[in-house]
Amino acid sequence: MTKERSAFIYGADAYPYKFSDTHPFHPLRLQLTHSLLESIGALKGVDIISPERATDEQLAYIHDTNFIEAVKEGGKGSLDTVKAQTFGLGTEDTPVFPHMHEASSYLVGGTIAACDAVLRDGYEHAFHLGGGLHHGFRGRASGFCVYNDSSIAIEYMRRKYGARVLYVDTDAHHGDGVQWAFYEDSDVCTLSIHETGRYLFPGTGHVTEKGSGEGYGYSINIPLDAFTEDDSFLYAYRKALKEAVTFFRPDIILTQNGADAHYYDPLSHLHLSIQSFREIPTIVHELAHEYCDGRWVAIGGGGYDKWRVVPRAWSYIWLAMTDQLHLAKERIPASWLQQWQKEAAEILPATWSDPSFPVIPRKTEITEKNRLTVDKALYHIRREQEKK
């Protein structure tokens, strides 16, 4: 596998997905990651595809037309406040901003372009930095997410290519919008590994959420205890992903790669180091080649320490995808540090690795609890495999 067989979906456009200068979901995360990859030479000779806006017809694969019209009105400044609230807009999490429809459509279009690159254009892998909005519902925005590019892309691949899609979500927050969109379907399998909803938005993603009707068994949730560390997280991830891909036999894997499970992240309580974010894409890369001829689309997601965590975490996705992990040498390039340190709110990391974090006193207890959660979540898969 070489980088020439992977497509990078990225392009500065006139409509950034930006709620405000102070909102945690900030598009600067994308620019910082792209800049870091450029600084280490990881994008040399790469096919970079600039996204186009998704059409209203494509948005309506998942979203109600009344909601789409409300988003358009909001972006023009003509949406009534009361009406906005009924669509989940104008909230603290998902405020209205100028050109909201156009910006959100570009994010969806980028994820669709990544899917086309793999299923139509012959690339084995594709990475869209701007995607990963997994909380949006049919008629309601939620949790920083207006249009749900993840769900739209899955439905697009089903309709255009007849693909069986395994969706894998490692964001600290449960991928609720995607799960519920396909909860009754047997040709989409959703696997979400996240912090338990007892402490964190959106409060869903319990092991008992397994799908319904024809979709029973195709929704898999691994809610991990707060303060889960690297070893326990990676155990759950390896175990669940391997069993899910063996059980489901997908045509393509779509991964949502939120970076908010990191110890530094201000919006979650998980305790991962950057090492987990190096391992996550490496593992799925191997399984994609083993089970579905390499077909793998990766998208971004959450991650709210935009200076110290997201650029390294998301760079590791592309480096693993293109067999260029050797470029992540011990030290971050001085040129990147000099370019961005004057704008950063924190001291930028000088190395690709993290300093040692304090060990959580309850580590043994949390690890055992997570192991039992994995067993409960995978029980129905194992029973089906035994029948075969």
Side-chain angles (χ1 to χ4, degrees):
M1 174 62 201
T2 62
K3 61 186 176 183
E4 288 78 12
R5 300 304 304 149
S6 298
F8 192 85
I9 317 300
Y10 180 81
D13 58 71
Y15 305 108
Y17 191 86
K18 182 179 178 181
F19 294 107
S20 71
D21 287 334
T22 57
H23 195 282
F25 200 94
H26 200 287
L28 183 60
R29 304 174 311 151
L30 282 61
Q31 188 179 354
L32 290 167
T33 305
H34 179 264
S35 173
L36 181 56
L37 287 169
E38 278 197 319
S39 74
I40 61 174
L43 296 176
K44 291 179 181 177
V46 167
D47 289 338
I48 298 180
I49 299 172
S50 183
E52 297 181 0
R53 282 168 51 188
T55 65
D56 285 6
E57 179 183 3
Q58 290 169 336
L59 298 176
Y61 287 169
I62 292 296
H63 295 293
D64 186 85
T65 54
N66 290 332
F67 173 64
I68 297 170
E69 291 305 313
V71 174
K72 290 179 180 179
E73 290 178 36
K76 295 174 183 176
S78 58
L79 183 63
D80 176 81
T81 302
V82 175
K83 184 179 179 181
Q85 293 287 325
T86 66
F87 290 107
L89 299 168
T91 64
E92 183 178 357
D93 278 355
T94 315
V96 171
F97 64 95
H99 304 293
M100 182 167 57
H101 168 74
E102 290 81 3
S104 304
S105 298
Y106 268 112
L107 288 191
V108 176
T111 303
I112 288 175
C115 297
D116 278 336
V118 173
L119 293 175
R120 181 191 66 195
D121 300 334
Y123 293 93
E124 288 185 322
H125 315 314
F127 181 26
H128 176 219
L129 272 177
L133 281 69
H134 60 171
H135 292 308
F137 292 90
R138 180 163 187 80
R140 177 168 57 88
S142 177
F144 310 162
C145 304
V146 179
Y147 298 141
N148 191 321
D149 69 290
S150 309
S151 294
I152 294 168
I154 292 170
E155 184 63 18
Y156 176 80
M157 289 189 281
R158 293 173 71 194
R159 295 190 187 196
K160 185 167 184 178
Y161 301 106
R164 286 170 57 81
V165 183
L166 173 61
Y167 171 78
V168 183
D169 190 321
T170 50
D171 197 288
H173 302 80
H174 175 234
D176 56 341
V178 184
Q179 172 180 289
W180 301 124
F182 303 103
Y183 205 61
E184 299 181 355
D185 296 305
S186 60
D187 53 1
V188 176
C189 181
T190 61
L191 168 62
S192 183
I193 305 172
H194 50 270
E195 181 183 333
T196 172
R198 291 199 307 274
Y199 314 110
L200 194 67
F201 174 90
T204 55
H206 308 291
V207 293
T208 53
E209 296 166 21
K210 297 180 181 296
S212 65
E214 292 185 3
Y216 182 78
Y218 296 96
S219 174
I220 306 166
N221 288 292
I222 313 289
L224 300 175
D225 210 20
F227 306 111
T228 292
E229 299 180 70
D230 288 322
D231 290 344
S232 183
F233 182 95
L234 290 172
Y235 166 82
Y237 175 73
R238 288 191 185 97
K239 197 85 171 170
L241 180 57
K242 175 69 173 180
E243 295 198 30
V245 76
T246 304
F247 162 71
F248 186 65
R249 300 282 173 167
D251 296 315
I252 186 170
I253 300 174
L254 172 65
T255 61
Q256 194 271 16
N257 296 268
D260 47 1
H262 192 278
Y263 172 73
Y264 289 150
D265 197 275
L267 299 188
S268 83
H269 313 96
L270 297 178
H271 200 73
L272 305 190
S273 77
I274 203 69
Q275 182 60 30
S276 287
F277 297 96
R278 179 185 174 107
E279 293 297 319
I280 287 168
T282 301
I283 294 165
V284 75
H285 187 199
E286 294 172 357
L287 291 173
H289 279 286
E290 184 176 353
Y291 286 91
C292 45
D293 296 326
R295 289 185 289 271
W296 169 33
V297 169
I299 51 182
Y304 307 104
D305 190 313
K306 65 179 179 286
W307 298 108
R308 297 178 296 177
V309 177
V310 176
R312 291 182 297 158
W314 284 357
S315 290
Y316 272 134
I317 299 167
W318 179 251
L319 295 177
M321 182 177 277
T322 56
D323 293 331
Q324 297 186 97
L325 284 169
H326 62 280
L327 294 179
K329 299 173 183 177
E330 178 57 23
R331 300 199 65 79
I332 298 291
S335 59
W336 188 83
L337 296 173
Q338 291 166 5
Q339 178 182 358
W340 294 108
Q341 184 59 74
K342 58 182 177 292
E343 298 184 32
E346 292 90 14
I347 300 298
L348 296 177
T351 62
W352 283 90
S353 59
D354 282 327
S356 297
F357 295 149
V359 174
I360 297 298
R362 293 175 52 245
K363 179 178 180 179
T364 301
E365 176 189 338
I366 291 169
T367 297
E368 177 59 17
K369 189 173 182 179
N370 287 339
R371 186 189 66 78
L372 293 173
T373 297
V374 170
D375 287 342
K376 291 177 184 177
L378 300 178
Y379 177 72
H380 66 286
I381 289 181
R382 292 168 178 169
R383 288 195 64 184
E384 289 299 316
Q385 291 294 85
E386 289 171 0
K387 292 177 184 178
K388 296 178 181 179

